[in-house]
């Protein structure tokens, strides 16, 4: 099997910023509550009419430039998202057209906050076995389109954004180990009840606000801490490594308290944990890849470093991945 690595990254965050002070004017909340309970200070919001592909294409162009790969040479585009432009066609197909990546095979992948790690794992298989030479994996969300702006339990948490990574064969390093999982018995604690075939859009479903994200935050908190801890331990065990071998851990950005609880359980010092939640909130599929991109651009991930990605989300799904940069 061939070695596969990430050879370019990019991101795009929409210009509009919604601060905690702005939210204080919308629902019964406070900057103090949001900051201490979640670690979030602000989040980016897509402009009216700006859809997932509009964000995703900007991140993709940056990643392709970083990888020095032309769009027309792309073999595969995987878009991880739960807020694609429309149910069909795929947002990957729309991005393919916008990029001019005419020969790329395209599909979307739904694994919520674990989407990017699922996405690079899928792309890795195609490249490792020689089917394709390269792949673009985009993680993008316009969560503002499924956020109930009257529900203070959820609306303070989410944001919009996009990140992208180009994968190809690498002579050394690259993806060392990946671990993915799913527990489909808990679909009720984080979901969007309507808009699919179970509950198509009706006047009643809209009136009952069933097209928005519903979440049992408290329940999820505990599961997230335990699952992310176990995922990180499992992927390290698979690779025959310990935390001493890891230069930086990049966790899913759902809540700074979840992240710090995981770091504490794993015995990892805070300065080896990357956070962008304060500026971006939780962007589901886009969170991991934008955090990775920013960590690289800020020089916190350098050539030869070993990083650990650790994700958890609706499904419930989880994953962890060790990459030598
Ligand atoms: N502003 C002020 N008060 C709020 C609030 C807000 N935005 N949202 C909830 N509260 C209130 C609740 O109503 C509750 O009040 P009550 O005690 O009078 O009933 C109180 O704060 C505590 O609520 P609780 O749910 O116990 O808070 P929490 O400490 O668990 O924090 C979350 C809530 C949502 C921030 C937290 O549970 C969380 O991050 N969960 C995981 C989310 C997650 O991982 N989601 C995505 C998975 S990828």
């Amino acid at each position: 099997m061939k070695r596969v690595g990430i050879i370019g990254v990019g991101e795009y965050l929409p210009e509009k910023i919604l601060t905690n002070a702005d939210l204080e004017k919308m629902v019964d909340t406070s900057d103090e509550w949001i900051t201490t309970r979640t670690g979030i200070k602000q989040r980016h919001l897509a402009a009216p009419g700006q859809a997932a592909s509009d964000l995703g294409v900007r991140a993709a162009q940056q990643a392709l430039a970083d990888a020095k790969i032309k769009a027309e040479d792309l073999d595969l585009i995987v878009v991880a998202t739960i807020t694609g432009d429309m149910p069909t066609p795929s947002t990957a197909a729309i991005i393919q057209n916008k990029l001019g990546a005419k020969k790329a095979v395209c599909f979307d992948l739904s694994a919520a906050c674990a989407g990017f790690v699922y996405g690079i794992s899928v792309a890795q298989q195609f490249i490792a076995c020689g089917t394709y030479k390269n792949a673009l994996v985009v993680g993008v969300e316009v969560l503002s389109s499924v956020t109930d702006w009257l529900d203070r339990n959820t609306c303070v948490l989410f944001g919009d954004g996009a990140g992208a990574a180009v994968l190809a064969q690498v002579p050394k390093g690259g993806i060392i180990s990946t671990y993915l999982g799913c527990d489909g018995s808990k679909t009720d604690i984080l979901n969007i009840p309507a808009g699919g075939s179970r509950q198509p859009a009706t006047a009643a479903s809209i009136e009952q606000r069933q097209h928005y994200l519903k979440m049992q935050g408290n329940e999820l908190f505990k599961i997230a801490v335990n699952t992310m801890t176990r995922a990180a331990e499992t992927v390290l065990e698979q690779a025959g490594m310990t935390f001493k071998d890891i230069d930086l851990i990049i966790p899913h950005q759902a809540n700074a308290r979840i992240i710090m609880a995981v770091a504490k359980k794993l015995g990892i010092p805070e300065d080896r944990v990357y956070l962008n939640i304060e500026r971006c909130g939780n962007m589901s599929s886009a969170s991991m890849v934008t955090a990775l991109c920013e960590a690289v651009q800020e020089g916190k991930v350098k050539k030869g470093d070993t990083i650990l990605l650790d994700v958890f989300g609706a499904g419930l799904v989880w994953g962890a991945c060790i990459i030598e940069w």
Side-chain angles (χ1 to χ4, degrees):
M1 295 292 262
K2 298 170 173 68
R3 279 184 176 280
V4 179
I6 293 177
I7 60 163
V9 286
E11 76 162 359
Y12 174 72
L13 300 171
E15 276 167 38
K16 183 177 162 59
I17 287 174
L18 186 76
T19 64
N20 292 350
D22 296 328
L23 279 161
E24 284 177 351
K25 295 178 202 133
M26 296 162 63
V27 288
D28 180 14
T29 192
S30 66
D31 173 44
E32 201 262 332
W33 192 95
I34 303 170
T35 306
T36 54
R37 305 312 288 163
T38 72
I40 302 167
K41 283 295 211 184
Q42 63 166 53
R43 61 294 286 147
H44 292 255
L45 294 190
Q50 211 176 18
S53 68
D54 303 320
L55 274 56
V57 75
R58 301 276 290 265
Q61 283 161 338
Q62 204 184 92
L64 287 171
D66 189 36
K68 299 184 180 57
I69 286 203
K70 292 198 195 94
E72 55 266 36
D73 294 330
L74 269 179
D75 293 326
L76 172 70
I77 301 175
V78 180
V79 174
T81 188
I82 56 163
T83 51
D85 288 26
M86 40 188 138
T88 194
S90 69
T91 299
I94 300 169
I95 288 179
Q96 184 224 41
N97 185 49
K98 288 182 177 177
L99 287 173
K102 286 200 165 68
K103 73 167 181 171
V105 169
C106 299
F107 59 89
D108 288 359
L109 186 155
S110 172
C113 307
F116 179 69
V117 171
Y118 267 63
I120 57 172
S121 178
V122 169
Q124 179 196 7
Q125 313 304 315
F126 278 114
I127 300 168
C129 67
T131 309
Y132 300 130
K133 284 203 170 60
N134 59 51
L136 170 73
V137 179
V138 179
V140 57
E141 300 294 0
V142 182
L143 290 179
S144 57
S145 65
V146 293
T147 298
D148 186 345
W149 294 104
L150 300 180
D151 177 11
R152 71 174 184 173
N153 289 301
T154 52
C155 75
V156 301
L157 298 173
F158 303 113
D160 302 335
V166 178
L167 285 84
Q169 278 182 43
V170 288
K172 61 191 262 303
I175 298 173
I176 291 170
S177 182
T178 307
Y179 163 66
L180 303 175
C182 175
D183 174 2
S185 71
K186 295 191 174 62
T187 52
D188 53 327
I189 62 175
L190 181 55
N191 62 24
I192 302 173
S197 54
R198 173 74 52 204
Q199 216 187 130
T202 60
S205 70
I206 292 167
E207 200 196 332
Q208 290 156 14
R209 311 185 78 73
Q210 294 297 300
H211 296 265
Y212 295 123
L213 262 168
K214 312 280 179 202
M215 186 181 81
Q216 292 173 31
N218 227 315
E219 183 72 10
L220 271 170
F221 194 104
K222 286 170 258 168
I223 304 174
V225 172
N226 291 332
T227 309
M228 287 174 72
T229 304
R230 210 171 47 244
E233 287 168 346
T234 307
V235 80
L236 279 167
E237 202 180 298
Q238 271 180 198
M241 291 176 149
T242 72
F243 283 105
K244 293 200 179 77
D245 302 307
I246 302 298
D247 296 294
L248 190 72
I249 173 163
I250 308 182
H252 173 54
Q253 313 279 316
N255 184 321
R257 281 163 53 225
I258 294 179
I259 294 172
M260 288 315 161
V262 172
K264 194 170 168 203
K265 275 185 155 224
L266 294 171
I268 301 177
E270 288 186 14
D271 62 353
R272 278 204 280 148
V273 181
Y274 189 81
L275 292 177
N276 71 355
I277 188 170
E278 184 180 348
R279 290 176 285 111
C280 299
N282 179 355
M283 302 182 290
S284 191
S285 308
S287 273
M288 172 53 71
V289 57
T290 55
L292 172 63
C293 176
E294 289 171 13
V296 172
Q297 289 175 350
E298 290 165 16
K300 291 188 174 139
V301 177
K302 296 177 289 300
K303 191 121 195 78
D305 281 357
T306 303
I307 61 171
L308 193 156
L309 317 184
D310 194 6
V311 289
F312 169 82
L316 302 172
V317 284
W318 57 88
C321 179
I322 298 172
I323 305 175
E324 188 187 314
W325 204 254

